[in-house]
Amino acid sequence: MSAGPLRVTIGIDPGQTGAIAVLADGCFVYAHDMPTMPRAAGGHEVNADELGRILRIYMRRHTGADFLVALEHVQAITRRDPKTGKPVQQGANSNFRFGESFGVVRGCVGCLKLPRVLVRPQKWKKHHGLIGKEKDASRAVALNRFPAAGPQLSRKKDCGRAEAMLMADWAYTTQHAVGVF
């Protein structure tokens, strides 16, 4: 336990398949898949009401704590061409929906007046030795760092939860050292 108020760090992987993870003084508390709802035009979108409700729950549970949200600073999505293996830009609609998800998350965090730091994937991944690794490698690193999170990371699709945990861990480790909180 640190001197002074409890430090609650929330990591958010903002995509529709992303997640929210909560650490208290660097210890795992909980991880939650990004809440989504059906989109009128088909597919799903981030549910701002539910995201706000989840964040408020943790704010109430840790009244008086210092909060910091580590939000992944995303950019246009690229995918690998199955034939050449080279990166290919996703379509405009996909990029718009991804950017919209980021905006909804950023708006929720802002409306709740939670301090935040934007972090590029390369930065938190480098911190955890994940540059050039497959997405599932994040689960292994998160399980090693937070063994108590095992039940929250048991499925292959829990990579978003693992990444949110690792972003929160990056923020807790690096931002405290520079006096952000």
Side-chain angles (χ1 to χ4, degrees), residues 10 19 30 131 145-146 154 158-159 175 178:
I10 300 171
Y30 194 73
I131 297 293
R145 173 70 183 88
F146 305 108
S154 62
D158 290 334
C159 293
Q175 300 306 289
V178 296

Side-chain angles (χ1 to χ4, degrees), residues 39-167:
R39 178 187 294 279
H44 288 83
E45 63 187 1
V46 173
N47 184 331
D49 290 339
E50 184 63 12
L51 176 59
R53 186 188 73 76
I54 291 166
L55 293 172
R56 284 190 305 274
I57 285 171
Y58 289 103
M59 291 171 73
R60 281 193 301 272
R61 284 186 186 166
H62 302 291
T63 301
D66 287 337
F67 282 85
L68 180 64
V69 173
L71 175 57
E72 188 171 50
H73 193 185
V74 294
Q75 55 196 31
I77 303 170
T78 57
R79 64 176 175 78
R80 299 250 174 226
D81 181 293
K83 293 179 183 171
T84 65
K86 294 182 179 178
V88 177
Q89 189 73 27
Q90 289 285 82
N93 286 340
S94 295
N95 278 322
F96 181 81
R97 284 193 304 270
F98 195 57
E100 182 181 49
S101 294
F102 175 74
V104 167
V105 172
R106 192 171 178 177
C108 284
V109 170
C111 284
L112 293 171
K113 297 184 173 133
L114 289 166
R116 63 153 170 79
V117 60
L118 297 177
V119 59
R120 294 254 182 225
Q122 298 83 354
K123 193 165 199 160
W124 70 261
K125 286 182 179 188
K126 181 178 181 185
H127 179 80
H128 290 290
L130 290 167
I131 297 293
K133 305 273 172 92
E134 294 293 321
K135 193 166 180 82
D136 197 47
S138 296
R139 269 192 329 133
V141 172
L143 281 167
N144 187 50
R145 173 70 183 88
F146 305 108
Q152 298 281 319
L153 299 172
S154 62
R155 306 169 301 169
K156 184 151 179 93
K157 70 178 191 174
D158 290 334
C159 293
R161 292 177 179 184
E163 291 190 352
M165 285 179 209
L166 296 174
M167 277 180 253

